[in-house]
């Protein structure tokens, strides 16, 4: 019996029957072939490094989060930089894991005092002024066929508003898998940035513009997505011992250089990314019979690579 | 510091400020209020019950899969019924867990002989003749704006083709979170149904019409989605001891009645489902500021409830 795979195990195996390579590269092959100039180094000051307590087998668990660029969510991101500098998260924990939805972390006691100087960020900052997008497509959540849509801005998936809405002209980041946002209470200005979550399932796009996004997990999401699901309401852990301790959260720029990870993202303005996005929407590698002719923006994840 | 939640913890808390209930019910409240006539009992012969070996703490792990109705994927589903009756999966294992993609199970040795009488199912059965759909919407993957779209058929999300394609008139099931499909080798007719996978991330809709779907997990997906990710190519486990043993897979109809689970799905032709689908696309419960005005079909999961 042959090995049954969902994707071709090696391209070499198929070389004999392949049409010219330009038409059949898989997205992963386009990424592998992208020249150095199509990659952008992420500044250490724009990465949060979250170290979890070692697992039961003693394995270290590091999660790296890239923060959103200007002009998005600046108030909350400013707070997050202060919280990391104050070492506020050290000793807090992952408290909620809801299947096909989110993992959430912060202070389970909800009594830990926040450092001074945090901004109270208004609801208006869920959206920003217009930015210049690449690879614009229609989108169900941003007003399909009514002038809204989605595209990419400096490495990030971004949506823009329907014509005629009060939000006309506004742009906002998108709740794709791995995006990181700010938990809040009912009033929209109650999220400080101390309580964070990441998406571990189908993109919950109904949260767009209803809750602030601040970044995305670029490494180690499996240490969050594979945690046992919580059995309390909303997936909160019911017993304190189920929580996973956060050893520390720091900006990468605050870590000693030897312990500082380095990552790059593929420029979404590059020729490689244009090819990659097309390949994600039209799979022509040999496994596929029907190229779809389109792709949800959350099915075009921006390629990330670790360089140190 | 107040409890920070992503969703309102209780509706009672908010009753004082609520507009008339008809306009503000959350999807979960519409489900809770649906009358008995809007639920359909799933026949025991249409459910696969997969029992995994107990976890390290001795907890039993049962996964229940509902099989697709006529006319979809009949060849593979026929094979699956034969494999279950032959107890073919007993002692096989979960072998692959790829983050934000799939969990896959079957015979890791790839040498276990299949029972006789299995059909070799042709590629044409990835699609079916037209069925009557409810709540039809445009869709990126089915030819947005070109006459294709998606809707619901007897409890399932289904897509239909663009006009003018050779597949005109055809309908096919959709790769949403939790859907179960048939692993295959490169030729499209090589999947028997012995090697199965389920989706544990963003809907991989590019697989629609490229691989056969046969059902969906309706209970216990957390026992699959929270497994450690495999570190080999495509997320396969590298060491045999990492695999999770499948104790048995049976049709529910083959189990003793005392051990037979009972489930219902919300009729997608019911008034409750129409309200639910609208609420998923336009969240008006108090947490939300901006109803999206639309929803991806995979963000309108058909409600399921266990009755025994």
């Amino acid at each position: 019996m042959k090995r049954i795979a969902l994707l071709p195990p090696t391209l070499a195996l198929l070389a004999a029957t392949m049409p010219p390579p330009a038409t059949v590269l898989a997205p992963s092959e386009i990424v592998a072939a992208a020249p150095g100039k199509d990659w952008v180094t992420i500044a250490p000051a724009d990465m949060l490094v979250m170290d979890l307590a070692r697992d039961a087998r003693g394995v270290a668990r590091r999660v790296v989060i890239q923060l959103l660029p200007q002009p998005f969510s600046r108030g909350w991101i400013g707070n997050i930089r202060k919280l990391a500098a104050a070492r506020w998260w050290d000793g807090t924990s992952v408290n909620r894991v809801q299947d096909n939805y989110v993992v959430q972390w912060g202070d389970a006691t909800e009594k830990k005092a926040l450092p001074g100087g945090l901004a109270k960020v208004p609801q208006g900052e869920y959206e920003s002024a217009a930015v210049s997008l690449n690879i614009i497509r229609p989108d169900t959540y941003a007003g399909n066929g009514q002038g809204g849509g989605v595209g990419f801005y400096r490495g990030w998936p971004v949506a823009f508003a329907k014509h005629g809405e009060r939000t006309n002209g506004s742009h906002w980041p998108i709740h794709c898998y791995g995006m990181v946002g700010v938990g809040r209470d009912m009033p929209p200005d109650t999220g400080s940035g101390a309580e964070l979550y990441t998406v571990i399932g189908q993109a919950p796009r109904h949260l767009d513009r209803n809750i602030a996004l601040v970044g995305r997990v670029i490494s180690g999401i499996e240490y969050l997505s594979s945690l046992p699901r919580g059995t309390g309401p909303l997936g909160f852990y019911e017993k304190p011992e189920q929580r996973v301790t956060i050893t520390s959260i720091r900006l990468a720029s605050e870590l000693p250089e030897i312990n500082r990870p380095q990552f790059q993202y593929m420029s979404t303005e590059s020729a490689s990314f244009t090819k990659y996005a097309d390949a994600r929407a039209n799979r022509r590698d040999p496994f596929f019979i029907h190229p779809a002719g389109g792709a949800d923006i959350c099915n075009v994840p921006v390629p990330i690579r670790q360089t140190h």
Side-chain angles (χ1 to χ4, degrees), chain A:
Chain A
M1 183 180 161
K2 282 175 290 182
R3 183 164 191 79
I4 294 176
L6 291 171
L7 291 170
T10 67
L11 194 73
L13 198 71
L14 310 160
T17 57
M18 271 168 61
T23 64
V24 298
L25 287 185
S28 60
E29 295 160 344
I30 294 168
V31 173
K37 69 176 173 53
D38 288 351
W39 295 89
V40 181
T41 298
I42 301 171
D46 291 335
M47 288 188 287
L48 275 183
V49 178
M50 172 162 72
D51 287 325
L52 303 177
R54 287 172 186 271
D55 74 9
R57 290 179 199 165
V59 176
R61 295 183 281 188
R62 169 166 282 190
V63 178
V64 182
I65 294 163
Q66 180 187 11
L67 298 170
L68 276 164
Q70 299 269 7
F72 299 111
S73 304
R74 301 327 289 170
W76 294 285
I77 291 172
N79 286 351
I80 285 168
R81 292 182 194 284
K82 287 175 187 162
L83 287 157
R87 307 189 170 193
W88 185 84
W89 280 291
D90 299 13
T92 65
S93 53
V94 178
N95 305 314
R96 175 191 185 190
V97 184
Q98 187 172 358
D99 196 67
N100 191 19
Y101 199 42
V102 296
V103 172
Q104 188 173 334
W105 60 92
D107 171 35
T109 70
E110 306 183 63
K111 289 177 183 166
K112 187 170 182 173
L114 292 168
L118 298 190
K120 187 170 179 75
V121 192
Q123 170 184 337
E125 293 199 24
Y126 289 165
E127 303 167 48
S128 85
V131 293
S132 174
L133 301 181
N134 195 28
I135 311 180
I136 290 175
R137 291 178 177 156
D139 175 70
T140 302
Y141 288 86
N144 198 355
Q146 296 172 64
V150 293
F152 292 91
Y153 171 71
R154 293 181 58 196
W156 296 82
V158 169
F160 57 100
K162 305 176 192 185
H163 282 311
E165 272 204 350
R166 70 165 186 76
T167 51
N168 188 16
S170 86
H171 285 55
W172 61 91
I174 293 176
H175 273 87
C176 294
Y177 191 95
M179 288 291 285
V180 174
V182 174
R184 66 164 167 91
D185 211 332
M186 296 296 283
D189 62 355
T190 49
S192 66
E195 190 79 11
L196 296 173
Y197 65 89
T198 189
V199 173
I200 59 158
Q202 175 70 20
R205 296 284 310 278
H206 53 287
L207 297 177
D208 290 359
R209 294 195 285 172
N210 286 299
I211 194 161
L213 287 168
V214 292
R216 67 180 161 211
V217 175
I218 57 173
S219 179
I221 194 162
E222 65 273 21
Y223 301 122
L224 301 173
S225 59
S226 69
L227 290 174
R229 277 46 182 158
T231 50
L234 305 177
F236 279 93
Y237 287 131
E238 296 186 275
K239 297 174 188 165
E241 64 267 28
Q242 294 173 306
R243 299 174 190 145
V244 178
T245 300
I246 296 169
T247 310
S248 77
I249 298 185
R250 297 280 183 282
L251 288 173
S253 52
E254 294 172 323
L255 292 175
E257 200 152 349
I258 188 81
N259 191 23
R260 189 185 293 171
Q262 292 176 2
F263 286 90
Q264 296 182 321
Y265 67 89
M266 184 183 280
S267 166
T268 49
E269 287 71 39
S270 69
S272 294
F273 188 78
T274 300
K275 271 195 281 189
Y276 165 82
D278 175 69
R280 291 289 301 177
N282 297 284
R283 295 295 292 264
R284 301 183 194 91
D285 33 323
F287 184 82
F288 289 87
I289 309 160
H290 288 290
D296 188 279
I297 191 154
C298 292
N299 245 324
V300 187
V302 174
I304 302 284
R305 68 180 186 184
Q306 185 160 15
T307 52
H308 175 73

